[in-house]
Amino acid sequence: LHRHFDKTFNDIFITFLHWATVPVEDFALHGNETRLPLTFPFLINVTMAFRRLEMYANWLHEDGKHILEPPLDPNSMRRAEKNLKRHVQFNHDDHQQSLCWLDFMPDATAALIGFSPMEKARYYVWFIHSVMFDEKAQVNGSVLIARNMQLLPSNWIPFDFIFSIGRLYCMCSSIRVKRMISIESS
């Protein structure tokens, strides 16, 4: 999957190291008495990064095999991205955090009708990886914004896939989720 984004295994490792960084103050590293310059204003919890990478690998092995087989076709994912642009998108705010927008209003989800439940699930996994490999999201984190997060009959993806995709986004990927916002509107 990473090859579709022109990424290597090293790039994957780097995303998890970014996820495991913690900013520190100058005095936290050196104390007030040493006055040494701080060359890297972050600590990296490599153990935490490795545990999260293991969770991601387990997800790929256990859940991903059901969603990612046969292998994703980049052309069909780009077609889905183009058709679902109103429903799923991401960009960056003033703080360079990625803003992931999911719109579940009926007018936004009308385009979903043309996709099978498996195609939708596969596209969400593709979308998560595009956020995961976004350098600004790696450094500054991500905010998930969902409008009318309800399951309409036209949206049905089997529950186990919905749960699996949520687990990938929140608990197994290298996306640093800073906030999740649900907007209910009529």
Side-chain angles (χ1 to χ4, degrees):
L1 182 63
H2 61 282
R3 285 185 231 118
H4 296 304
F5 294 95
D6 294 325
K7 301 297 179 184
T8 65
F9 283 126
N10 284 345
D11 294 322
I12 293 172
F13 298 143
I14 289 170
T15 68
F16 284 93
L17 290 173
H18 275 291
W19 176 83
T21 59
V22 178
V24 294
E25 300 294 328
D26 190 18
F27 65 88
L29 280 183
H30 303 295
N32 290 337
E33 59 281 344
T34 60
R35 309 245 185 252
L36 295 173
L38 184 62
T39 57
F40 189 65
F42 296 94
L43 293 177
I44 300 174
N45 186 332
V46 178
T47 303
M48 189 169 80
F50 183 73
R51 282 195 312 260
R52 186 73 167 219
L53 179 61
E54 278 185 317
M55 290 171 59
Y56 174 72
N58 287 337
W59 184 91
L60 287 173
H61 180 72
E62 295 167 8
D63 295 6
K65 67 182 176 188
H66 301 295
I67 298 174
L68 299 175
E69 292 298 328
L72 293 175
D73 173 28
N75 294 326
S76 68
M77 292 298 105
R78 286 187 194 95
R79 181 180 65 83
E81 182 178 43
K82 180 181 174 187
N83 290 329
L84 299 176
K85 192 70 171 169
R86 167 81 169 78
H87 168 63
V88 179
Q89 51 186 290
F90 89 92
N91 52 28
H92 302 94
D93 67 7
D94 294 340
H95 304 287
Q96 301 305 308
Q97 297 176 112
S98 76
L99 301 175
C100 303
W101 172 260
L102 300 174
D103 191 346
F104 290 97
M105 290 295 288
D107 61 325
T109 57
L112 288 172
I113 295 170
F115 293 90
S116 73
M118 186 55 75
E119 286 175 311
K120 292 178 226 177
R122 291 163 63 86
Y123 177 70
Y124 290 132
V125 170
W126 178 274
F127 176 77
I128 289 169
H129 280 84
S130 65
V131 175
M132 189 170 124
F133 291 129
D134 179 69
E135 290 182 16
K136 291 177 183 176
Q138 290 174 24
V139 173
N140 302 304
S142 176
V143 176
L144 174 66
I145 305 165
R147 186 167 87 151
N148 276 24
M149 188 69 166
Q150 55 186 317
L151 296 177
L152 304 171
S154 64
N155 293 359
W156 284 107
I157 295 175
F159 181 76
D160 54 336
F161 289 157
I162 291 172
F163 181 75
S164 175
I165 292 165
R167 195 166 74 91
L168 171 64
Y169 185 80
C170 296
M171 298 173 9
C172 299
S173 75
S174 61
I175 298 172
R176 185 182 299 139
V177 181
K178 291 196 165 189
R179 284 181 206 85
M180 297 178 98
I181 300 168
S182 177
I183 301 170
E184 300 298 322
S185 61
S186 53

